[in-house]
Short mmCIF file of all heavy atoms in Angstrom, two decimals:
data_model
loop_
_atom_site.label_atom_id
_atom_site.label_comp_id
_atom_site.label_asym_id
_atom_site.label_seq_id
_atom_site.Cartn_x
_atom_site.Cartn_y
_atom_site.Cartn_z
N PRO A 1 24.96 -2.79 -7.49
CA PRO A 1 24.35 -3.51 -6.31
C PRO A 1 23.05 -3.93 -6.73
O PRO A 1 22.21 -3.23 -7.53
CB PRO A 1 24.40 -2.60 -5.20
CG PRO A 1 25.29 -1.54 -5.60
CD PRO A 1 25.40 -1.48 -7.04
N ARG A 2 22.37 -5.04 -6.11
CA ARG A 2 21.15 -5.53 -6.50
C ARG A 2 20.05 -4.79 -5.76
O ARG A 2 20.27 -4.14 -4.69
CB ARG A 2 20.94 -7.06 -5.90
CG ARG A 2 21.54 -8.00 -7.00
CD ARG A 2 21.68 -9.34 -6.26
NE ARG A 2 20.43 -9.68 -5.52
CZ ARG A 2 20.38 -10.80 -4.85
NH1 ARG A 2 21.37 -11.61 -4.71
NH2 ARG A 2 19.33 -11.17 -4.23
N ASN A 3 18.88 -4.62 -6.33
CA ASN A 3 17.71 -3.96 -5.79
C ASN A 3 17.75 -2.55 -5.52
O ASN A 3 16.94 -2.09 -4.72
CB ASN A 3 17.31 -4.77 -4.48
CG ASN A 3 16.46 -6.01 -4.81
OD1 ASN A 3 15.87 -6.05 -5.92
ND2 ASN A 3 16.49 -6.94 -4.02
N THR A 4 18.86 -1.83 -6.01
CA THR A 4 18.86 -0.42 -5.69
C THR A 4 17.59 0.34 -6.18
O THR A 4 17.20 1.37 -5.56
CB THR A 4 20.14 0.26 -6.14
OG1 THR A 4 20.33 -0.12 -7.51
CG2 THR A 4 21.40 -0.13 -5.32
N THR A 5 17.10 -0.06 -7.29
CA THR A 5 15.95 0.71 -7.71
C THR A 5 14.63 0.23 -6.95
O THR A 5 13.79 1.07 -6.81
CB THR A 5 15.69 0.23 -9.32
OG1 THR A 5 16.88 0.45 -10.01
CG2 THR A 5 14.56 1.06 -9.91
N GLN A 6 14.55 -0.95 -6.49
CA GLN A 6 13.40 -1.52 -5.91
C GLN A 6 13.36 -1.24 -4.34
O GLN A 6 12.24 -1.58 -3.71
CB GLN A 6 13.34 -3.07 -6.07
CG GLN A 6 13.49 -3.45 -7.51
CD GLN A 6 12.30 -3.11 -8.41
OE1 GLN A 6 11.15 -3.03 -7.89
NE2 GLN A 6 12.46 -3.11 -9.71
N THR A 7 14.33 -0.77 -3.83
CA THR A 7 14.46 -0.54 -2.37
C THR A 7 14.15 0.85 -1.88
O THR A 7 14.71 1.81 -2.51
CB THR A 7 15.81 -0.99 -1.77
OG1 THR A 7 16.11 -2.31 -2.33
CG2 THR A 7 15.84 -0.90 -0.18
N CYS A 8 13.17 1.02 -1.03
CA CYS A 8 12.85 2.36 -0.45
C CYS A 8 14.02 2.78 0.38
O CYS A 8 14.50 2.24 1.35
CB CYS A 8 11.53 2.23 0.37
SG CYS A 8 11.27 3.81 1.30
N HIS A 9 14.53 4.00 0.02
CA HIS A 9 15.80 4.49 0.71
C HIS A 9 15.37 4.82 2.17
O HIS A 9 16.33 4.74 3.01
CB HIS A 9 16.38 5.72 -0.01
CG HIS A 9 17.56 6.19 0.66
ND1 HIS A 9 18.85 5.62 0.74
CD2 HIS A 9 17.74 7.43 1.48
CE1 HIS A 9 19.62 6.43 1.42
NE2 HIS A 9 19.03 7.47 1.84
N ASP A 10 14.24 5.31 2.40
CA ASP A 10 13.89 5.79 3.72
C ASP A 10 13.61 4.66 4.77
O ASP A 10 13.86 4.76 5.94
CB ASP A 10 12.63 6.70 3.54
CG ASP A 10 13.07 7.93 2.86
OD1 ASP A 10 13.22 7.87 1.64
OD2 ASP A 10 13.39 8.92 3.59
N CYS A 11 12.88 3.53 4.28
CA CYS A 11 12.48 2.48 5.16
C CYS A 11 13.13 1.16 4.92
O CYS A 11 13.05 0.29 5.68
CB CYS A 11 11.01 2.44 5.45
SG CYS A 11 10.19 1.68 3.93
N GLY A 12 13.77 0.99 3.75
CA GLY A 12 14.34 -0.31 3.33
C GLY A 12 13.52 -1.22 2.86
O GLY A 12 13.86 -2.42 2.60
N PHE A 13 12.16 -0.89 2.57
CA PHE A 13 11.21 -1.81 1.98
C PHE A 13 11.72 -2.16 0.61
O PHE A 13 11.97 -1.34 -0.22
CB PHE A 13 9.82 -1.27 2.02
CG PHE A 13 8.81 -2.11 1.48
CD1 PHE A 13 8.25 -3.10 2.37
CD2 PHE A 13 8.30 -2.14 0.20
CE1 PHE A 13 7.23 -4.05 1.91
CE2 PHE A 13 7.32 -2.99 -0.25
CZ PHE A 13 6.76 -4.00 0.47
N VAL A 14 11.53 -3.51 0.18
CA VAL A 14 11.89 -3.85 -1.20
C VAL A 14 10.58 -4.11 -1.97
O VAL A 14 9.89 -5.08 -1.53
CB VAL A 14 12.77 -5.05 -1.14
CG1 VAL A 14 13.13 -5.62 -2.56
CG2 VAL A 14 14.08 -4.81 -0.31
N MET A 15 10.44 -3.47 -3.02
CA MET A 15 9.31 -3.64 -3.90
C MET A 15 9.31 -5.15 -4.41
O MET A 15 10.29 -5.60 -4.74
CB MET A 15 9.28 -2.77 -5.00
CG MET A 15 9.04 -1.28 -4.59
SD MET A 15 7.54 -0.97 -3.70
CE MET A 15 6.32 -1.14 -5.03
N GLY A 16 8.12 -5.69 -4.49
CA GLY A 16 8.04 -7.20 -4.97
C GLY A 16 7.84 -8.06 -3.73
O GLY A 16 7.38 -9.19 -3.79
N LYS A 17 8.05 -7.55 -2.51
CA LYS A 17 7.82 -8.25 -1.36
C LYS A 17 6.38 -8.04 -0.83
O LYS A 17 5.78 -7.07 -1.06
CB LYS A 17 8.82 -7.84 -0.22
CG LYS A 17 10.24 -8.40 -0.38
CD LYS A 17 11.04 -8.20 0.79
CE LYS A 17 12.37 -8.94 0.69
NZ LYS A 17 13.28 -8.49 1.82
N ASN A 18 5.89 -9.07 0.00
CA ASN A 18 4.51 -8.99 0.57
C ASN A 18 3.52 -8.74 -0.48
O ASN A 18 2.49 -8.00 -0.25
CB ASN A 18 4.53 -7.85 1.62
CG ASN A 18 5.58 -8.10 2.69
OD1 ASN A 18 6.09 -9.23 2.92
ND2 ASN A 18 5.87 -7.09 3.45
N GLY A 19 3.66 -9.29 -1.63
CA GLY A 19 2.61 -9.18 -2.65
C GLY A 19 2.53 -7.76 -3.42
O GLY A 19 1.59 -7.61 -4.23
N THR A 20 3.57 -7.08 -3.27
CA THR A 20 3.51 -5.74 -3.91
C THR A 20 4.22 -5.94 -5.30
O THR A 20 4.92 -6.90 -5.55
CB THR A 20 4.48 -4.65 -3.22
OG1 THR A 20 5.71 -5.32 -2.95
CG2 THR A 20 3.81 -4.39 -1.84
N ASN A 21 3.92 -5.02 -6.24
CA ASN A 21 4.43 -5.09 -7.60
C ASN A 21 5.88 -4.52 -7.69
O ASN A 21 6.08 -3.54 -7.19
CB ASN A 21 3.49 -4.46 -8.48
CG ASN A 21 2.14 -5.05 -8.64
OD1 ASN A 21 2.11 -6.34 -8.67
ND2 ASN A 21 1.23 -4.31 -8.85
N LYS A 22 6.65 -5.41 -8.39
CA LYS A 22 8.04 -4.65 -8.60
C LYS A 22 7.78 -3.46 -9.52
O LYS A 22 6.93 -3.41 -10.39
CB LYS A 22 8.84 -5.70 -9.31
CG LYS A 22 9.55 -6.71 -8.27
CD LYS A 22 10.78 -7.28 -8.91
CE LYS A 22 11.61 -7.82 -7.79
NZ LYS A 22 12.99 -8.17 -8.20
N LEU A 23 8.72 -2.57 -9.43
CA LEU A 23 8.69 -1.41 -10.25
C LEU A 23 9.21 -1.72 -11.69
O LEU A 23 10.13 -2.61 -11.73
CB LEU A 23 9.57 -0.25 -9.77
CG LEU A 23 9.18 0.22 -8.35
CD1 LEU A 23 10.33 1.18 -7.79
CD2 LEU A 23 7.82 0.90 -8.30
N THR A 24 8.58 -1.29 -12.65
CA THR A 24 9.01 -1.43 -13.92
C THR A 24 9.75 -0.21 -14.45
O THR A 24 9.71 0.84 -13.86
CB THR A 24 7.90 -1.82 -14.91
OG1 THR A 24 7.10 -0.55 -15.09
CG2 THR A 24 6.96 -2.87 -14.41
N LEU A 25 10.32 -0.29 -15.74
CA LEU A 25 11.06 0.89 -16.25
C LEU A 25 10.15 2.09 -16.47
O LEU A 25 10.56 3.11 -16.64
CB LEU A 25 11.77 0.49 -17.58
CG LEU A 25 13.05 -0.39 -17.34
CD1 LEU A 25 13.58 -0.81 -18.69
CD2 LEU A 25 14.06 0.42 -16.68
N LYS A 26 8.83 1.75 -16.66
CA LYS A 26 7.82 2.68 -16.87
C LYS A 26 7.52 3.63 -15.63
O LYS A 26 7.11 4.82 -15.65
CB LYS A 26 6.54 2.12 -17.30
CG LYS A 26 6.36 1.79 -18.83
CD LYS A 26 5.03 1.53 -19.23
CE LYS A 26 4.43 0.34 -18.48
NZ LYS A 26 3.11 0.06 -18.97
N ASP A 27 7.87 3.00 -14.39
CA ASP A 27 7.54 3.75 -13.12
C ASP A 27 8.70 4.67 -12.86
O ASP A 27 9.66 4.38 -12.24
CB ASP A 27 7.28 2.71 -12.00
CG ASP A 27 6.18 1.79 -12.25
OD1 ASP A 27 5.09 2.23 -12.64
OD2 ASP A 27 6.39 0.63 -12.14
N ARG A 28 8.51 5.98 -13.28
CA ARG A 28 9.59 6.82 -12.97
C ARG A 28 9.45 7.44 -11.65
O ARG A 28 10.42 7.87 -11.12
CB ARG A 28 9.59 7.93 -14.15
CG ARG A 28 9.81 7.42 -15.58
CD ARG A 28 10.00 8.49 -16.51
NE ARG A 28 11.15 9.32 -16.06
CZ ARG A 28 12.41 9.12 -16.34
NH1 ARG A 28 12.81 7.94 -16.95
NH2 ARG A 28 13.36 9.78 -15.92
N GLU A 29 8.32 7.38 -11.14
CA GLU A 29 7.97 7.89 -9.78
C GLU A 29 6.99 6.92 -9.10
O GLU A 29 6.26 6.18 -9.75
CB GLU A 29 7.25 9.20 -9.76
CG GLU A 29 8.10 10.36 -10.43
CD GLU A 29 7.36 11.74 -10.32
OE1 GLU A 29 6.50 11.99 -9.52
OE2 GLU A 29 7.71 12.48 -11.29
N TRP A 30 7.21 6.75 -7.80
CA TRP A 30 6.37 5.79 -7.04
C TRP A 30 6.34 6.15 -5.59
O TRP A 30 7.02 6.92 -5.09
CB TRP A 30 6.98 4.29 -7.27
CG TRP A 30 8.44 4.12 -6.74
CD1 TRP A 30 9.54 4.77 -7.44
CD2 TRP A 30 9.02 3.61 -5.62
NE1 TRP A 30 10.64 4.35 -6.77
CE2 TRP A 30 10.45 3.65 -5.56
CE3 TRP A 30 8.32 2.89 -4.51
CZ2 TRP A 30 11.12 3.18 -4.69
CZ3 TRP A 30 9.16 2.49 -3.52
CH2 TRP A 30 10.44 2.48 -3.52
N ASP A 31 5.27 5.45 -5.04
CA ASP A 31 5.02 5.67 -3.56
C ASP A 31 5.44 4.44 -2.86
O ASP A 31 4.98 3.33 -3.26
CB ASP A 31 3.61 6.09 -3.22
CG ASP A 31 3.33 7.42 -3.85
OD1 ASP A 31 3.97 8.47 -3.53
OD2 ASP A 31 2.37 7.46 -4.72
N CYS A 32 6.19 4.49 -1.75
CA CYS A 32 6.49 3.39 -0.93
C CYS A 32 5.24 2.85 -0.34
O CYS A 32 4.64 3.58 0.48
CB CYS A 32 7.57 3.58 0.00
SG CYS A 32 7.89 2.30 1.20
N PRO A 33 4.78 1.49 -0.51
CA PRO A 33 3.63 1.18 0.31
C PRO A 33 3.83 0.89 1.70
O PRO A 33 2.86 0.86 2.48
CB PRO A 33 3.35 -0.35 -0.38
CG PRO A 33 4.67 -0.68 -0.85
CD PRO A 33 5.46 0.60 -1.22
N ASN A 34 5.07 0.87 2.26
CA ASN A 34 5.28 0.76 3.59
C ASN A 34 5.28 2.11 4.39
O ASN A 34 4.61 2.25 5.34
CB ASN A 34 6.61 0.09 3.85
CG ASN A 34 6.85 -0.46 5.20
OD1 ASN A 34 5.98 -0.98 5.85
ND2 ASN A 34 8.02 0.03 5.75
N CYS A 35 6.10 3.04 3.87
CA CYS A 35 6.24 4.31 4.63
C CYS A 35 5.48 5.40 3.84
O CYS A 35 5.46 6.52 4.36
CB CYS A 35 7.68 4.68 4.88
SG CYS A 35 8.62 5.17 3.51
N HIS A 36 4.96 5.23 2.68
CA HIS A 36 4.11 6.11 1.94
C HIS A 36 4.93 7.31 1.44
O HIS A 36 4.25 8.27 1.15
CB HIS A 36 2.98 6.49 2.65
CG HIS A 36 2.12 5.28 2.95
ND1 HIS A 36 1.43 4.57 2.27
CD2 HIS A 36 1.95 4.88 4.35
CE1 HIS A 36 0.85 3.48 2.83
NE2 HIS A 36 1.09 3.60 4.13
N ILE A 37 6.18 7.26 1.41
CA ILE A 37 6.96 8.41 0.93
C ILE A 37 6.89 8.34 -0.67
O ILE A 37 6.87 7.37 -1.23
CB ILE A 37 8.44 8.43 1.43
CG1 ILE A 37 9.08 9.83 1.25
CG2 ILE A 37 9.26 7.40 0.76
CD1 ILE A 37 10.22 9.98 2.17
N HIS A 38 6.99 9.48 -1.25
CA HIS A 38 6.93 9.52 -2.81
C HIS A 38 8.48 9.61 -3.31
O HIS A 38 9.23 10.41 -2.72
CB HIS A 38 6.17 10.89 -3.23
CG HIS A 38 6.05 10.94 -4.68
ND1 HIS A 38 5.18 10.10 -5.39
CD2 HIS A 38 6.58 11.79 -5.60
CE1 HIS A 38 5.32 10.33 -6.65
NE2 HIS A 38 6.18 11.37 -6.78
N HIS A 39 8.73 8.75 -4.18
CA HIS A 39 10.10 8.62 -4.72
C HIS A 39 10.19 8.99 -6.25
O HIS A 39 9.26 8.65 -6.93
CB HIS A 39 10.69 7.16 -4.61
CG HIS A 39 11.04 6.83 -3.21
ND1 HIS A 39 11.93 7.46 -2.43
CD2 HIS A 39 10.46 5.76 -2.47
CE1 HIS A 39 12.10 6.81 -1.23
NE2 HIS A 39 11.11 5.82 -1.26
N ILE A 40 11.26 9.63 -6.64
CA ILE A 40 11.58 9.82 -8.00
C ILE A 40 12.66 8.60 -8.16
O ILE A 40 13.56 8.48 -7.42
CB ILE A 40 12.28 11.08 -8.33
CG1 ILE A 40 11.55 12.24 -7.77
CG2 ILE A 40 12.64 11.17 -9.76
CD1 ILE A 40 10.35 12.74 -8.43
N ARG A 41 12.25 7.68 -9.08
CA ARG A 41 12.96 6.39 -9.20
C ARG A 41 14.51 6.62 -9.23
O ARG A 41 15.29 5.93 -8.35
CB ARG A 41 12.50 5.52 -10.40
CG ARG A 41 13.13 4.28 -10.32
CD ARG A 41 12.96 3.45 -11.67
NE ARG A 41 13.43 4.30 -12.75
CZ ARG A 41 13.07 4.34 -14.00
NH1 ARG A 41 12.10 3.53 -14.27
NH2 ARG A 41 13.63 5.07 -14.95
N ASP A 42 15.04 7.43 -10.05
CA ASP A 42 16.42 7.56 -10.24
C ASP A 42 17.12 8.18 -8.97
O ASP A 42 18.22 7.85 -8.58
CB ASP A 42 16.79 8.30 -11.52
CG ASP A 42 16.37 7.54 -12.71
OD1 ASP A 42 16.10 6.34 -12.68
OD2 ASP A 42 16.16 8.25 -13.79
N TRP A 43 16.38 9.19 -8.33
CA TRP A 43 17.02 9.77 -7.13
C TRP A 43 17.09 8.63 -5.97
O TRP A 43 18.06 8.65 -5.30
CB TRP A 43 16.10 10.91 -6.62
CG TRP A 43 16.07 12.11 -7.63
CD1 TRP A 43 16.74 12.10 -8.80
CD2 TRP A 43 15.43 13.26 -7.38
NE1 TRP A 43 16.35 13.30 -9.41
CE2 TRP A 43 15.67 14.15 -8.51
CE3 TRP A 43 14.76 13.77 -6.35
CZ2 TRP A 43 15.12 15.35 -8.56
CZ3 TRP A 43 14.16 15.17 -6.43
CH2 TRP A 43 14.44 15.96 -7.54
N ASN A 44 16.03 7.94 -5.88
CA ASN A 44 15.99 6.87 -4.89
C ASN A 44 17.13 5.88 -5.01
O ASN A 44 17.83 5.47 -4.12
CB ASN A 44 14.63 6.32 -4.87
CG ASN A 44 14.56 5.15 -3.65
OD1 ASN A 44 14.62 5.41 -2.51
ND2 ASN A 44 14.40 3.95 -4.05
N ALA A 45 17.26 5.41 -6.33
CA ALA A 45 18.35 4.43 -6.60
C ALA A 45 19.68 4.96 -6.34
O ALA A 45 20.55 4.34 -5.80
CB ALA A 45 18.10 3.98 -8.13
N SER A 46 19.83 6.29 -6.73
CA SER A 46 21.19 6.92 -6.56
C SER A 46 21.58 6.99 -5.11
O SER A 46 22.63 6.80 -4.71
CB SER A 46 21.39 8.23 -7.30
OG SER A 46 20.44 9.12 -6.94
N LYS A 47 20.51 7.31 -4.22
CA LYS A 47 20.79 7.44 -2.89
C LYS A 47 21.15 6.06 -2.30
O LYS A 47 22.06 5.91 -1.44
CB LYS A 47 19.54 7.92 -2.01
CG LYS A 47 19.41 9.41 -2.22
CD LYS A 47 18.43 9.95 -1.25
CE LYS A 47 17.07 10.23 -1.98
NZ LYS A 47 15.99 10.74 -1.17
N ASN A 48 20.50 4.94 -2.78
CA ASN A 48 20.85 3.74 -2.42
C ASN A 48 22.20 3.16 -2.88
O ASN A 48 22.98 2.61 -2.09
CB ASN A 48 19.82 2.57 -2.85
CG ASN A 48 18.47 2.80 -2.29
OD1 ASN A 48 18.47 3.09 -1.03
ND2 ASN A 48 17.42 2.45 -2.87
N ILE A 49 22.63 3.55 -3.97
CA ILE A 49 23.81 3.22 -4.55
C ILE A 49 25.02 3.96 -3.72
O ILE A 49 26.11 3.31 -3.23
CB ILE A 49 24.02 3.46 -6.06
CG1 ILE A 49 23.14 2.57 -6.78
CG2 ILE A 49 25.48 3.46 -6.55
CD1 ILE A 49 22.85 3.03 -8.33
N LEU A 50 24.80 5.23 -3.47
CA LEU A 50 25.82 5.94 -2.69
C LEU A 50 25.86 5.31 -1.32
O LEU A 50 27.04 5.16 -0.74
CB LEU A 50 25.12 7.41 -2.49
CG LEU A 50 26.12 8.37 -1.76
CD1 LEU A 50 27.48 8.41 -2.31
CD2 LEU A 50 25.39 9.74 -1.46
N ALA A 51 24.80 5.01 -0.57
CA ALA A 51 24.84 4.47 0.68
C ALA A 51 25.59 3.04 0.72
O ALA A 51 26.35 2.86 1.63
CB ALA A 51 23.39 4.20 1.16
N LYS A 52 25.41 2.36 -0.31
CA LYS A 52 26.07 1.00 -0.36
C LYS A 52 27.54 1.22 -0.65
O LYS A 52 28.53 0.56 -0.09
CB LYS A 52 25.59 0.19 -1.53
CG LYS A 52 24.14 -0.21 -1.29
CD LYS A 52 23.88 -1.73 -1.56
CE LYS A 52 22.37 -2.03 -1.30
NZ LYS A 52 22.07 -3.42 -1.40
N GLY A 53 27.89 2.25 -1.53
CA GLY A 53 29.30 2.57 -1.73
C GLY A 53 29.96 2.98 -0.53
O GLY A 53 31.15 2.61 -0.21
N LEU A 54 29.33 3.97 0.25
CA LEU A 54 29.95 4.40 1.44
C LEU A 54 30.20 3.16 2.53
O LEU A 54 31.10 3.27 3.26
CB LEU A 54 28.95 5.47 2.02
CG LEU A 54 29.15 6.81 1.28
CD1 LEU A 54 27.99 7.77 1.86
CD2 LEU A 54 30.41 7.50 1.21
N GLU A 55 29.28 2.38 2.58
CA GLU A 55 29.31 1.15 3.42
C GLU A 55 30.42 0.37 3.04
O GLU A 55 31.19 -0.12 3.97
CB GLU A 55 27.98 0.34 3.34
CG GLU A 55 27.53 -0.27 4.49
CD GLU A 55 26.06 -1.03 3.98
OE1 GLU A 55 26.21 -2.21 3.55
OE2 GLU A 55 25.05 -0.32 4.14
N LYS A 56 30.71 0.16 1.87
CA LYS A 56 31.80 -0.64 1.29
C LYS A 56 33.13 -0.02 1.71
O LYS A 56 34.00 -0.58 2.24
CB LYS A 56 31.67 -0.79 -0.20
CG LYS A 56 32.63 -1.89 -0.83
CD LYS A 56 32.05 -2.33 -2.18
CE LYS A 56 33.03 -3.17 -2.88
NZ LYS A 56 34.18 -2.49 -3.53
N LEU A 57 33.25 1.28 1.56
CA LEU A 57 34.37 2.00 1.89
C LEU A 57 34.60 1.98 3.28
O LEU A 57 35.90 1.63 3.75
CB LEU A 57 34.27 3.54 1.43
CG LEU A 57 34.51 3.76 -0.04
CD1 LEU A 57 34.22 5.31 -0.26
CD2 LEU A 57 35.79 3.49 -0.50
N ALA A 58 33.73 2.12 4.11
CA ALA A 58 33.97 1.95 5.57
C ALA A 58 34.45 0.63 5.92
O ALA A 58 35.28 0.59 6.92
CB ALA A 58 32.67 2.40 6.28
N LYS A 59 34.01 -0.31 5.40
CA LYS A 59 34.48 -1.72 5.69
C LYS A 59 35.85 -1.96 5.22
O LYS A 59 36.66 -2.57 5.93
CB LYS A 59 33.60 -2.74 5.09
CG LYS A 59 32.27 -3.14 5.77
CD LYS A 59 31.51 -4.17 5.25
CE LYS A 59 30.06 -4.18 5.67
NZ LYS A 59 29.09 -4.74 4.74
N GLU A 60 36.22 -1.44 4.07
CA GLU A 60 37.56 -1.60 3.59
C GLU A 60 38.58 -0.87 4.44
O GLU A 60 39.73 -1.31 4.63
CB GLU A 60 37.69 -1.00 2.11
CG GLU A 60 37.10 -2.10 1.21
CD GLU A 60 36.84 -1.61 -0.15
OE1 GLU A 60 37.25 -0.37 -0.57
OE2 GLU A 60 36.35 -2.33 -1.09
N LYS A 61 38.17 0.36 5.03
CA LYS A 61 39.01 1.12 5.85
C LYS A 61 39.36 0.34 7.15
O LYS A 61 40.44 0.51 7.69
CB LYS A 61 38.48 2.57 6.23
CG LYS A 61 38.88 3.61 5.26
CD LYS A 61 38.41 4.83 5.71
CE LYS A 61 38.49 5.97 4.55
NZ LYS A 61 37.91 7.12 5.07
N ALA A 62 38.42 -0.18 7.68
CA ALA A 62 38.45 -0.82 9.04
C ALA A 62 39.39 -1.98 9.14
O ALA A 62 39.68 -2.60 8.09
CB ALA A 62 37.05 -1.35 9.48
ZN1 ZN B 101 9.49 3.20 2.50
#
């Protein structure tokens, strides 16, 4: 899915919006500029991927 790395799992903010810098491969950890939570990049991305997968499954079942 798109933007799983760039999206804050907690508030949904997408990095690169509102003049913020997109995360690069060097940014292994980052702080969300919107809700100020600290993220480990790969954990945040995997939570987003999991959420999207579950969403998709729920839709397919319905
Ligand atoms: Zn956030």
Side-chain angles (χ1 to χ4, degrees):
R2 276 167 48 185
N3 276 340
T4 46
T5 308
Q6 308 288 335
T7 305
C8 171
H9 179 70
D10 292 78
C11 72
F13 184 81
V14 181
M15 294 301 287
K17 282 193 176 166
N18 302 340
T20 55
N21 292 321
K22 278 203 163 193
L23 301 170
T24 69
L25 286 175
K26 282 193 299 184
D27 297 315
R28 303 191 54 82
E29 300 184 22
W30 56 286
D31 293 302
C32 174
N34 188 51
C35 70
H36 304 291
I37 199 160
H38 186 70
H39 287 301
I40 311 287
R41 187 190 59 208
D42 292 344
W43 294 5
N44 181 63
S46 57
K47 281 191 258 182
N48 284 332
I49 292 166
L50 179 65
K52 294 222 178 188
L54 291 175
E55 214 174 87
K56 191 166 175 270
L57 280 178
K59 274 185 199 153
E60 281 169 4
K61 266 190 193 170

